[in-house]
Amino acid sequence: MESYNSEQRIAELEELLRAKDIPNLKDSLRRTNPVDIEEFMSDLDNEQSLIVFRLLRKDDAAEVFAELKNEGKHRLLTSITDPEIDSIVNALNFDDVIDTLEEMPATVVKRMLKNSDAETRKKVNEFLQFPEDSAGSLMTTEFVEVKPEMTCKEVLDRIKKVGSTKVTIYTCYVTSKRKSLLGYVSLRLIVTSDSDTKVKDLMYEDVISVEAYEDQEEVAKTFMRYGFTALPVVDSERRLIGIITVDDIMDVMELEATEDFQRMAAITPDEEEYSTTSAFKLAKNRLPWLMFLMISASFTSTILKSSQQVIESIIALNMFIPMLTDSGGNAGSQSSTLVIRGMATGDVELKDWYKVVFKELQIGLMIGLVMAIVAFGKCMLFDKVGSEVSLIVALTIFIIIVIAKVVGALLPMGAKKIGFDPAIMASPLITTIVDSIGLLCYFEVAKIIMGI
Amino acid sequence: MESYNSEQRIAELEELLRAKDIPNLKDSLRRTNPVDIEEFMSDLDNEQSLIVFRLLRKDDAAEVFAELKNEGKHRLLTSITDPEIDSIVNALNFDDVIDTLEEMPATVVKRMLKNSDAETRKKVNEFLQFPEDSAGSLMTTEFVEVKPEMTCKEVLDRIKKVGSTKVTIYTCYVTSKRKSLLGYVSLRLIVTSDSDTKVKDLMYEDVISVEAYEDQEEVAKTFMRYGFTALPVVDSERRLIGIITVDDIMDVMELEATEDFQRMAAITPDEEEYSTTSAFKLAKNRLPWLMFLMISASFTSTILKSSQQVIESIIALNMFIPMLTDSGGNAGSQSSTLVIRGMATGDVELKDWYKVVFKELQIGLMIGLVMAIVAFGKCMLFDKVGSEVSLIVALTIFIIIVIAKVVGALLPMGAKKIGFDPAIMASPLITTIVDSIGLLCYFEVAKIIMGI
């Protein structure tokens, strides 16, 4: 047996489609993972992708559909017939139906729900009430629920009956008559225990759960902290209303990290992927912060204007300004990035702020000293600007690095304290702030040393 | 039943330990998740943490041990007796044993392996051969292996016998007599099928696997792409040698994102967490890049020195230098960050470089135009520097933004093309490069407009 290689598979599918070899294409599609079929389809035009989609088995079609990006889903739903839509909707997991409904325009939603019964509509409406980034919007109701009095054999029989329609059967949730979550039991325990052992003797009672309105970022943190593969979702009265599985959470983790990267580069976060977002929208996401930072950076103009006299008397000072401000910005963004990331992963806690400041102070003193010595040497030997200017540059570098390190660590923590996203305080904003502080220090040091 | 709250649990444990209420502490520990016990223990001194550790049940002790950071593991292994070490090593999953052995000094390793038999030593040595960041170092050998001719009942019996010692039983791997990986079958299918159905009639043959020497970042990408909970690891002859489970991969995902954040802030990546790393080591990780960037930034000094004549004749130009360089750096780092992240998640591919450049060019033109207009207005109305200087500033802003966007997108792709990590091309380096280009443009534009 040959090994599975997604690039080869996709190339093979492309070749078969080009040759219009439908029987072999159909066969090859059956052996290809839905994720790879999605990638294959994403490069096809409307008509071709419809041909491919109609060659898929019903279950595969639903899985491929769930993998499609919003644009692809929309394109497909407007091209296929109503019976085909019904068939997909029925084969999809409930959480994938909800995901799709949330993103499609009203006319498409109407077509999707055309033939569904009153109960489904009611359930859908309940789900659509959860905010988009909440635990509720990620969960599915397709889990296995058992009662404390059931035996292992009864649980296995139940799974045999309903198991194929459930998202996961590997963790069974134990509920009371009133639907309260009592505990959970793994299929591993059920399978390895005697068949007449009762669920209540096997179940873990200290079950970790999340509430439906909890933010998905917190849910992802809980998954990571405990290494779970599924997590129950409860309502405010601790009744079990759904479960979240780890595959959905991996997407959330990726999305949240991407959002942090975007914020740290001064971009308004956007869940759309780069490749499918229009240049206009990308420009719109980037412009506000860039504008804000440009306007804030013009504070430095004011500082430079008021220091005109110093610059004019020692024109050599001028040429070191970019180097000083850049070094300050870089030193500050090193600290802010580590603190922001530490807070995101839960390694750095707000209550430890004084430890962080003390550590950054130490780091700043060490790095500042080395940088100052090198800068002094460079100014003297290469730029040949004389010992006074070299001393001013070296001293300023030292002061800027120490301040940048401490400010860079404090700002994200301050932002979090007052309820902002710490990632917003990353490099670009730090740069702007440290620029101003750095320039002020530069001219003050110059005045003192030159005796102006 | 009350809900599980980790902070409350930890506070309760602290209270009980302070009151020396050992019986209740022991009881409370049993109801607490090992992850939270680790957090509780991390703040205790040597003696107290030993007391707590000895109160744990054997299985819990192994799980808590696996959660400990390297420092904590080391501390514990040097405090406890040899029989206690043996008991932990026996209760640990094999991949956790390997993880620990990889990180501990030779004397501790010796104690850990003291009583293990020749076969275990051999297996350990085989595992320690895999590079630290490879699939091999993440995998475990504790999976369920079945043969194609077995029936569902036989598989269930086998799981009942060996299941409790396996990391996962939810996916069973089908191998030939010669250990070749033939396919896999989910426990779900085994449980929901007739008991005399044969494995070969249920198994998926198109199994996606990774090779033992593959980099963990690639393994994480495969997990995310397909949403798996476990992935088989094969050797160069496609023999099944282990599996990797999703909980280990979540750690890798977090680590890899953190490494990218670090590289993008010009820090030498380090797997240690911020809170447990010494100030000296943190300084050491940050200094080289900071120094390199400071030296590169002094190119700007050279440019400024050679443009002395222009600055002296229009001293007003001087005050806009930081704003211009900052804006260029910010615009460039927006592009580079999106491209770096896109490549990390697989959204942006190297072969699409011309699409990316075209998109960034469009974005640069749009943003550049708006920024130039605002900058012109600001210079005229607030800074009152006259229309000539305002025009120079506005034109330069436009040119800088367009160049920064394109260069910011191209550099990470270029880095990847020649085999470097694209994250290295992030904001600080972009800033330095765009600074130089920006200043050159500034003075060229000034010369043309002022007719110098």
Side-chain angles (χ1 to χ4, degrees), chain A residues 146 152 155-156 159 169-174 183-193 199 202-204 229, chain B residues 169-170 187:
Chain A
V146 297
C152 287
V155 172
L156 277 177
I159 290 174
I169 60 166
Y170 301 135
T171 309
C172 304
Y173 296 93
V174 191
Y184 70 93
V185 60
S186 66
L187 182 58
R188 178 200 295 255
L189 261 184
I190 298 285
V191 168
T192 54
S193 301
V199 165
L202 294 176
M203 73 179 187
Y204 291 94
T229 54
Chain B
I169 59 166
Y170 300 135
L187 183 58

Side-chain angles (χ1 to χ4, degrees), chain A residues 1 3-4 6 9 31 33 35-36 39 159-160 163 166-170 181-182 186-188 191-193 205-208 223-228 238 247 250 254 257-258 260-262 264-267 273-275 277 279-280 282-283 286-287 290-291 293-294 298 300-301 304-305 311 318-319 322-323 326-327 330-331 334-335 337-338 341 345 347-348 356 359-360 362-363 366-367 370-371 374 378 383 397 405 428 435, chain B residues 1 3-4 6 9 31 33 35-36 39 159-160 163 166-170 181-182 186-188 191-193 205-208 223-228 238 247 250 254 257-258 260-262 264-267 273-275 277 279-280 282-283 286-287 290-291 293-294 298 300-301 304-305 311 318-319 322-323 326-327 330-331 334-335 337-338 341 345 347-348 356 359-360 362-363 366-367 370-371 374 378 383 397 405 428 435:
Chain A
M1 178 207 157
S3 84
Y4 188 98
S6 61
R9 285 291 162 105
R31 292 181 296 110
N33 189 293
V35 175
D36 296 319
E39 183 167 329
I159 290 174
K160 202 158 196 155
K166 301 302 180 188
V167 167
T168 183
I169 60 166
Y170 301 135
L181 179 60
L182 299 176
S186 66
L187 182 58
R188 178 200 295 255
V191 168
T192 54
S193 301
E205 292 183 34
D206 288 286
V207 46
I208 293 167
F223 263 93
M224 269 197 288
R225 181 175 172 90
Y226 298 108
F228 289 139
R238 260 196 93 63
D247 52 324
M250 283 200 282
E254 200 183 286
T258 299
D260 273 359
F261 276 109
Q262 290 173 338
M264 290 171 71
I267 302 166
E273 289 183 315
Y274 178 83
S275 61
T277 312
F280 181 74
L282 284 169
R286 296 185 198 178
L287 185 60
L290 221 46
M291 192 66 86
L293 291 167
M294 183 180 79
S298 44
T300 54
S301 317
L304 285 176
K305 204 173 179 180
I311 297 177
N318 199 49
M319 59 188 257
M323 185 201 79
D326 280 359
S327 295
N330 290 336
Q334 286 183 332
S335 308
T337 301
L338 281 193
R341 184 64 188 159
T345 61
D347 174 41
V348 173
V356 173
K359 199 173 241 181
E360 290 300 320
Q362 287 176 282
I363 298 171
M366 284 189 267
I367 292 186
V370 181
M371 300 278 283
V374 173
K378 208 226 154 217
D383 300 317
I397 270 276
K405 286 286 171 207
D435 272 10
Chain B
M1 179 204 157
S3 83
Y4 188 97
S6 62
R9 285 291 164 105
R31 292 181 297 109
N33 189 293
V35 175
D36 296 319
E39 184 168 329
I159 289 175
K160 201 158 198 156
K166 301 301 179 189
V167 167
T168 183
I169 59 166
Y170 300 135
L181 179 61
L182 300 176
S186 66
L187 183 58
R188 179 200 294 254
V191 168
T192 54
S193 301
E205 291 182 36
D206 288 286
V207 45
I208 293 166
F223 263 92
M224 271 196 287
R225 180 175 172 91
Y226 298 107
F228 289 140
R238 260 196 91 64
D247 52 322
M250 282 200 282
E254 200 183 287
T258 299
D260 273 358
F261 275 110
Q262 290 173 339
M264 290 172 69
I267 302 166
E273 289 183 315
Y274 178 85
S275 62
T277 312
F280 180 75
L282 285 169
R286 296 183 198 180
L287 186 59
L290 221 47
M291 192 65 87
L293 291 167
M294 184 180 78
S298 45
T300 55
S301 315
L304 284 175
K305 204 172 178 181
I311 297 177
N318 198 50
M319 58 189 258
M323 187 200 79
D326 280 359
S327 295
N330 290 335
Q334 286 183 332
S335 308
T337 301
L338 282 193
R341 184 64 187 159
T345 62
D347 174 41
V348 174
V356 173
K359 199 174 239 177
E360 290 301 321
Q362 288 177 283
I363 298 172
M366 285 189 266
I367 292 186
V370 182
M371 299 279 283
V374 173
K378 209 227 153 218
D383 301 316
I397 269 276
K405 287 286 172 206
D435 271 9

